[in-house]
Each structure stands twice: as C-alpha cells, then as structure tokens.
Amino acid sequence: SYAQDELPPIPFHGYFYIQPNIGLSQYFGDLNKDDFWNNDRQLGYGGVLGYQLSPLFGIRGQFLKTDLYSERADQDLKLNSDLWDGALNLTLNVNEIFAKYNAKRFLNIYLFTGAGISNFKSDITQLSTNTILDSHTDWQHQFFLPVGGGASFRLSNTFSVNLEYGDHIFFDGAALDFKDGSKRDDHYS
C-alpha cells in the first residue's frame, strides 16, 4: 500500500523514439599525426530510429553523413573523404544497473555498440602542390564497429536532449586513407 500522497511507480512500456543528430566528426588514423583530436573537425548530421525494449536494453538504427578531413604537414599530405554510414546498435542504460526504474528520471546514462557499414570516397592530396596522389573512383564499402556512450536529459514526457560520443572503428586499416602504417585501424568519431 502507498501513503495517501504517494503514487505507485509508473510501469515500463516499450516505446519508439526518433533522434535527429548534429555534431562534429573527426578522423583518426595515419594522416592525423598524433591520432588525436585536432582542428580538422567537420560538421556531421544524421538521425536515429530506436525502440526501447526494456528499462535496461534498447535497439536502434543510426544514419550519419559527414566529410572527413585531415592534414599531415610532416608528410605533405591531406585527406578528404565524403562519407555516409548506417549502423544497428544495442543500447544499455547504465542507470538501470544501479537504480530502480524511474520513468521521470532527469538524467539517463547509456552505452551502445553494434555493427555498421560505411560508404566513402577519399582523396589523398599533396599539401604543397594540391596534386591528387590517390583517389577512390567508386564508393568504397567498409564494415565498422560503432562504440560509444551518451547522456539523455529529460525535458518533458516526450522530449529529451542527448549528448553523445561515438567512435566508428574500421576493420581494414588502409581502406579510408590508403595507408596501413599505424598499429591501430582507421576510425572516426
């Protein structure tokens, strides 16, 4: 029984959601000297269509469109890549591991991973002469592993704002930038 001013907990019901995305994309790989965040970020956009199966688990499809750009002055090279991808992700709401389900919770922390396919055309250009050294003539297709996490801030019963970071790791180290010299495969966030 509940006290007179207490309400029973709201039971969980699965639901669909749509999440438009906009943010910055960043290439990491052989043509990013330190394989670290640099000033060559590009604008990216996309969207998510998901279904929350339970308070703990969800599934979602994600689409991303962006350009990737990086300069490597010590090698006199730059990378330009036109890219779009799609992924199917499983989500895990971290809050539900540590706390009882609460439909009115303001902040939800989540992790995601899955599988995706990226489609891109890249050019490698010599910086000093602006001469194209290598280029994909057709769209390239590459499988990737998406991993990431985010925070969802509940604004009302139907709207939330999400801040999210995702990394897309290629299985072929030379596919995107024509180089296979690093210990790590190319990836982008």
Side-chain angles (χ1 to χ4, degrees):
S1 91
Y2 297 95
Q4 190 169 356
D5 56 345
E6 282 185 38
L7 295 174
I10 299 171
F12 178 82
H13 298 287
Y15 58 90
F16 284 98
Y17 61 92
I18 296 172
Q19 176 183 324
N21 294 7
I22 190 164
L24 298 175
S25 61
Q26 170 73 51
Y27 155 82
F28 299 97
D30 299 300
L31 295 180
N32 180 337
K33 183 178 180 191
D34 299 319
D35 196 25
F36 195 70
W37 195 256
N38 62 35
N39 293 325
D40 298 325
R41 297 174 297 274
Q42 301 294 305
L43 185 64
Y45 60 90
V48 170
L49 175 61
Y51 185 75
Q52 195 63 35
L53 301 165
S54 72
L56 190 59
F57 295 108
I59 188 166
R60 68 185 198 169
Q62 183 171 25
F63 169 79
L64 170 71
K65 172 66 179 102
T66 191
D67 293 321
L68 298 176
Y69 181 83
S70 187
E71 292 183 4
R72 181 93 189 246
D74 63 326
Q75 293 184 11
D76 195 29
L77 297 173
K78 72 177 173 181
L79 166 73
N80 281 302
S81 189
D82 180 11
L83 181 140
W84 62 273
D85 71 32
L88 187 60
N89 298 323
L90 295 174
T91 61
L92 170 71
N93 285 334
V94 176
N95 299 56
E96 304 308 322
I97 296 171
F98 303 105
K100 188 174 174 182
Y101 170 68
N102 179 353
K104 297 196 179 274
R105 183 178 292 130
F106 172 69
L107 173 65
N108 281 305
I109 306 296
Y110 60 93
L111 302 172
F112 63 87
T113 190
I117 188 162
S118 186
N119 303 280
F120 56 88
K121 283 185 177 181
S122 297
D123 294 327
I124 300 295
T125 307
Q126 190 171 22
L127 269 172
S128 57
T129 63
N130 211 27
T131 304
I132 294 176
L133 302 174
D134 215 338
S135 178
H136 294 126
T137 55
D138 296 317
W139 285 96
Q140 304 297 303
H141 314 288
Q142 184 67 221
F143 289 105
F144 69 88
L145 172 70
V147 293
S152 178
F153 300 91
R154 182 178 170 277
L155 302 179
S156 72
N157 288 337
T158 54
F159 290 102
S160 296
V161 172
N162 290 24
L163 297 176
E164 183 173 292
Y165 178 84
D167 203 8
H168 302 202
I169 304 164
F170 282 122
F171 294 110
D172 180 355
L176 183 64
D177 62 10
F178 304 95
K179 297 189 168 293
D180 195 14
S182 75
K183 296 175 185 169
R184 244 175 113 177
D185 288 333
D186 295 331
H187 58 114
Y188 56 98
S189 62

